[in-house]
Amino acid sequence: MFDIIGSLVIVVGIAWLGRIFLDARELGWGRLLLAALAGIGIGDATALFLMVSDISEVQSVNYEQLQLFSLPFRIIATMGAIVVLELFFRRGRRSQFGTQAGRGRQGFSRAAPRFSPAVVLRAIEVSRIMARQGFAPLVGWGSGRGASLATHDLARRARRVCEDAGGVFIKLGQLMATRPDLLPPSALAEFAKLQSAVAPVGREVIEAQIEAQLGRPSGEVFASIDWEPLGSASIAQAHAATLLDGSAVVVKVRRPGLERVINRDLTILRWLARLAEERFTWARQLGVVALASEFADALLIELDFDIEARHIDEVAAAVADDPLVHVPSVFDQFTRRGLIVMERLPGTPLANLVNRERPANSQALADALCSSQVRSMLDGERFHGDPHQGNVLILEDGRLGLIDMGISSKLDAFERAAVFQMLMALRQETPALLFESMVTIGAVDQAIHDPDEIERALARFMAANLGPGLPPASALTDLLRLTLELGLRLPPSTSAMFRALSTLMGTLEQLHPGYPVIDKIAELGGDEFRRRLLPTSAAQFVRQEWSEVGPLLARLPRRVDRLFAMVEHGRISSRTRVLADSDDRRFLERLLNRFVLTLLSLGTGAVSVMLLGVEGGIEFPSFEVRLYDVLGWIGLFIAMTLMFRVLLAVLRSENPRRAP
């Protein structure tokens, strides 16, 4: 027994040294013990195979001789097991947590928990739901049926996954229903069936939440609260209330304990996104990791009602000049991170007017809604990011009311210039100008993308979608899909603008059938188009550009004169630095290091084998071994360690992508 324990301690000690020499970062003591046990088993089996010629002789083998003879085989097998386990657990970690790779993609910018037991149990639950709906390959189980299903059937199964998983996944499905740039119409219709209504939280819990946010009893702020909720969603619950001054308000309260649950589900979503990119080409083309990160950022912002209140105020300021569009006022003195109090708008959602008579002034209302949103976009103001029919109310006084500003955005100066450039390119049917707008907006990486290929694709898009007159309403959505197919990544706010326009088109069609959306957009942008296109804008353009270019041109003669003087006196020289790029230097250093380690491994191994074959030399009678034997075995251990280190470094550098 003591011999077995002693042998195990020796092998574990050697494995510990091997882990250090091999730089095996993924092996703790438990995994190291597993490598040692595997090495002992493989080493003893190899030694027995060499010591006996028949299986019947195994029982007569001397165990002490077996231990001595199998020691080098145990060491070699243990080192090999360390390499295998290091690669296995490193691959599992990369599949689970992924790497920050490709196009500068980042993980979630806000805090996300590690894989705690609760997260693991939730991940198992979600994986079972996905496997039950035929998405087993995504989570690494079996072959599944997803690859052979039609698009509509896939969308239906994905919608069921979101429904069964609940929480964040329902919000994800609802977000996908607003992405015509990613999904076909049949899939959008399927995800649109998702409803966020969940069982309401009881009065005691909601009242405690309100008082915790306000820091005082609710009776000191509200004259009354209707505890029957107006709506109960996965994020918050809304109640009608009346302030002490008689103002009718809506109190939106965040559900208790929501941040912990959402962070847990976002961790799982991030894992699924990265696993999908590891396994499937379509996921890498879509950039699902970036999409998941974008969704997570939007959701975490939606949790902060202070941000939503600020966005509501900005949207209200943007539409303040339009008398037919109204945004509810926010009572900032009562608004907190988990509580928002806003004006209650008496009216009916546009979605509920499907079978009813539309307002008599529907044309004027449609004009007001379209102009307020498009002008906000073009002027760099904040616009409603999701103006669907449920977020637009027909108020009792005949105006339109905009609610739910959880999704909103605004364009910066560069994006506005690029958007105008895009619209001008579409109007003039100029693929080169459209490509330049993509470059201006930062969607094109010249080191990755082929400019000629992109420009040809844009030309084909224009030939298919444009013609006499204005482009069709679907052209914007088709352009978004094309950028995705070409691997271009538009800024989130620009994508949000195009999606908002696409949603707005559907809402305007519901409000006033046949509404000429594209004509209205062209009319609203007419002033800017004329300023940029008509000859009278040339002088203004020159003045604007001269303010930046003029000082440079004024200094140009002095710089040219100085340049020629330096040429005349021979003070201009040229120097080329080889390997100036740090990535190139590191690459060559790695190659050189591996080459040197390989030579050392081969040389040490050859010398060690020669030492073991030398007869005579100093002997240690007490141990019945020679000095040459000791040096030879130590040299073989060093040689095997160097060889395994080179092998592990080579295998680590491999990062194969799975095909779908």
Side-chain angles (χ1 to χ4, degrees):
M1 184 65 180
F2 288 106
D3 292 340
I4 296 176
I5 295 176
S7 177
L8 180 62
V9 169
I10 292 174
V11 175
V12 171
I14 294 173
W16 179 73
L17 289 175
R19 182 190 65 174
I20 296 175
F21 295 149
L22 295 177
D23 191 25
R25 310 182 189 99
E26 302 297 329
L27 300 188
W29 281 105
R31 296 170 182 175
L32 201 63
L33 180 61
L34 178 61
L37 292 175
I40 291 173
I42 297 173
D44 287 355
T46 305
L48 280 173
F49 177 77
L50 296 175
M51 291 177 65
V52 301
S53 58
D54 190 84
I55 192 67
S56 60
E57 300 176 6
V58 173
Q59 295 181 349
S60 61
V61 172
N62 186 295
Y63 183 71
E64 293 182 356
Q65 292 181 349
L66 176 63
Q67 279 192 311
L68 183 62
F69 186 69
S70 65
L71 183 60
F73 299 105
R74 289 179 175 182
I75 293 174
I76 294 173
T78 300
M79 301 288 280
I82 290 174
V83 172
V84 173
L85 291 177
E86 167 74 8
L87 292 173
F88 175 80
F89 286 111
R90 183 175 183 270
R91 182 181 182 184
R93 178 175 64 85
R94 186 172 63 245
S95 298
Q96 194 175 64
F97 295 103
T99 56
Q100 305 297 335
R103 295 191 297 268
R105 292 192 297 268
Q106 300 295 327
F108 299 152
S109 58
R110 287 168 169 75
R114 296 181 179 180
F115 269 70
S116 63
V119 175
V120 172
L121 291 176
R122 174 64 168 162
I124 294 174
E125 177 190 0
V126 173
S127 299
R128 291 179 61 187
I129 293 172
M130 296 181 67
R132 188 167 62 244
Q133 293 297 336
F135 295 101
L138 183 57
V139 292
W141 295 355
S143 58
R145 297 165 291 173
S148 61
L149 296 175
T151 302
H152 177 73
D153 200 9
L154 277 173
R156 179 172 55 83
R157 291 174 182 272
R159 189 253 305 165
R160 288 178 179 175
V161 168
C162 294
E163 287 177 339
D164 294 344
V168 165
F169 294 92
I170 289 182
K171 295 291 293 183
L172 175 63
Q174 292 172 334
L175 176 67
M176 298 309 295
T178 66
R179 298 300 300 265
D181 55 317
L182 298 178
L183 300 177
S186 59
L188 296 175
E190 194 65 42
F191 280 114
K193 298 177 183 178
L194 285 169
Q195 300 295 325
S196 61
V198 296
V201 180
R203 169 179 175 173
E204 295 78 10
V205 177
I206 290 297
E207 189 170 14
Q209 280 289 102
I210 293 175
E211 294 181 352
Q213 292 290 329
L214 292 174
R216 48 180 161 165
S218 59
E220 296 183 7
V221 176
F222 302 103
S224 65
I225 299 178
D226 184 358
W227 298 109
E228 185 66 28
L230 296 172
S232 179
S234 55
I235 298 293
Q237 190 162 298
H239 293 263
T242 304
L243 297 177
L244 293 178
D245 63 1
S247 301
V249 297
V250 172
V251 182
K252 187 176 176 182
V253 188
R254 191 174 62 199
R255 286 175 170 266
L258 195 62
E259 287 182 315
R260 175 180 54 81
V261 175
I262 284 183
N263 280 331
R264 179 198 66 186
D265 281 1
L266 289 181
T267 301
I268 297 168
L269 181 62
R270 175 176 57 183
W271 166 63
L272 289 172
R274 289 176 173 169
L275 193 62
E277 285 205 0
E278 288 278 339
R279 292 175 176 272
F280 301 105
T281 301
W282 60 263
R284 294 192 290 275
Q285 291 174 343
L286 285 176
V288 295
V289 169
L291 291 174
S293 181
E294 180 183 334
F295 165 70
D297 288 340
L299 183 58
L300 292 173
I301 289 176
E302 192 174 346
L303 287 176
D304 192 339
F305 291 166
D306 281 333
I307 296 178
E308 182 175 348
R310 186 168 67 250
H311 290 176
I312 292 174
D313 291 339
E314 292 177 0
V315 173
V319 303
D321 294 336
D322 200 316
L324 291 179
V325 179
H326 181 66
V327 175
S329 303
V330 177
F331 293 82
D332 294 326
Q333 67 272 30
F334 305 131
T335 296
R336 306 289 186 271
R337 191 168 186 271
L339 175 73
I340 184 170
V341 180
M342 68 190 88
E343 176 188 3
R344 193 193 326 162
L345 300 183
T348 305
L350 184 60
N352 296 344
L353 298 180
V354 176
N355 297 320
R356 299 184 185 180
E357 184 180 356
R358 292 180 176 83
N361 61 338
S362 61
Q363 172 75 52
L365 292 176
D367 286 341
L369 178 60
C370 184
S371 62
S372 65
Q373 294 305 293
V374 173
R375 287 193 186 280
S376 298
M377 296 173 184
L378 300 182
D379 293 342
E381 303 288 345
R382 184 165 294 278
F383 56 87
H384 200 310
D386 190 23
H388 64 73
Q389 301 166 22
N391 288 339
V392 179
L393 305 181
I394 305 295
L395 302 182
E396 294 178 354
D397 59 7
R399 295 182 298 169
L400 291 177
L402 299 181
I403 61 174
D404 193 359
M405 248 62 70
I407 301 177
S408 63
S409 189
K410 62 193 305 185
L411 303 177
D412 61 31
F414 284 102
E415 290 171 333
R416 294 200 306 276
V419 166
F420 273 116
Q421 204 171 20
M422 287 182 190
L423 295 176
M424 282 190 288
L426 291 174
R427 187 167 184 173
Q428 295 178 338
E429 300 185 39
T430 309
L433 184 59
L434 185 56
F435 173 76
E436 288 301 321
S437 70
M438 297 290 181
V439 174
T440 302
I441 212 168
V444 179
D445 186 345
Q446 302 276 6
I448 299 175
H449 302 114
D450 182 359
D452 293 335
E453 179 183 352
I454 294 176
E455 195 167 330
R456 284 194 298 269
L458 295 176
R460 289 193 295 268
F461 161 78
M462 288 185 171
N465 290 272
L466 305 182
L470 295 169
S474 60
L476 296 179
T477 300
D478 292 341
L479 179 59
L480 275 182
R481 288 177 178 165
L482 178 61
T483 60
L484 188 69
E485 293 172 3
L486 295 174
L488 307 180
R489 179 65 60 185
L490 295 177
S493 52
T494 306
S495 298
M497 184 206 72
F498 282 114
R499 292 197 302 272
L501 281 176
S502 178
T503 305
L504 182 64
M505 290 174 184
T507 301
L508 292 171
E509 178 66 24
Q510 172 67 23
L511 178 60
H512 186 79
Y515 185 79
V517 182
I518 297 296
D519 297 58
K520 188 65 176 179
I521 294 175
E523 177 187 338
L524 292 170
D527 293 339
E528 185 68 18
F529 279 127
R530 284 188 291 271
R531 189 182 70 82
R532 292 170 180 259
L533 295 176
L534 294 180
T536 54
S537 67
Q540 182 180 2
F541 174 78
V542 169
R543 285 195 299 269
Q544 292 175 346
E545 294 299 316
W546 181 258
S547 64
E548 299 179 5
V549 179
L552 298 177
L553 293 178
R555 293 192 296 269
L556 183 60
R558 291 193 298 271
R559 293 185 176 181
V560 172
D561 180 67
R562 186 180 304 171
L563 178 63
F564 278 108
M566 294 174 67
V567 172
E568 182 180 357
H569 293 87
R571 290 190 304 218
I572 293 183
S573 61
S574 175
R575 183 176 66 177
T576 302
R577 296 180 58 190
V578 181
L579 299 179
D581 186 76
S582 60
D583 291 336
D584 293 340
R585 291 197 301 271
R586 283 193 294 268
F587 173 73
L588 288 180
E589 286 173 2
R590 285 196 299 269
L591 285 182
L592 182 60
N593 289 340
R594 292 174 187 175
F595 179 72
V596 171
L597 288 177
T598 302
L599 288 182
L600 287 176
S601 173
L602 294 175
T604 305
V607 171
S608 301
V609 171
M610 293 173 59
L611 286 173
L612 291 174
V614 174
E615 296 183 358
I618 301 175
E619 295 186 2
F620 301 98
S622 302
F623 300 96
E624 298 182 354
V625 295
R626 299 176 303 129
L627 177 60
Y628 288 153
D629 292 336
V630 174
L631 295 177
W633 287 116
I634 292 175
L636 278 180
F637 173 75
I638 294 174
M640 295 300 297
T641 300
L642 293 175
M643 184 190 70
F644 279 125
R645 184 179 179 94
V646 173
L647 178 63
L648 185 58
V650 171
L651 294 177
R652 270 178 177 166
S653 65
E654 298 294 328
N655 187 22
R657 292 286 192 181
R658 295 190 182 186

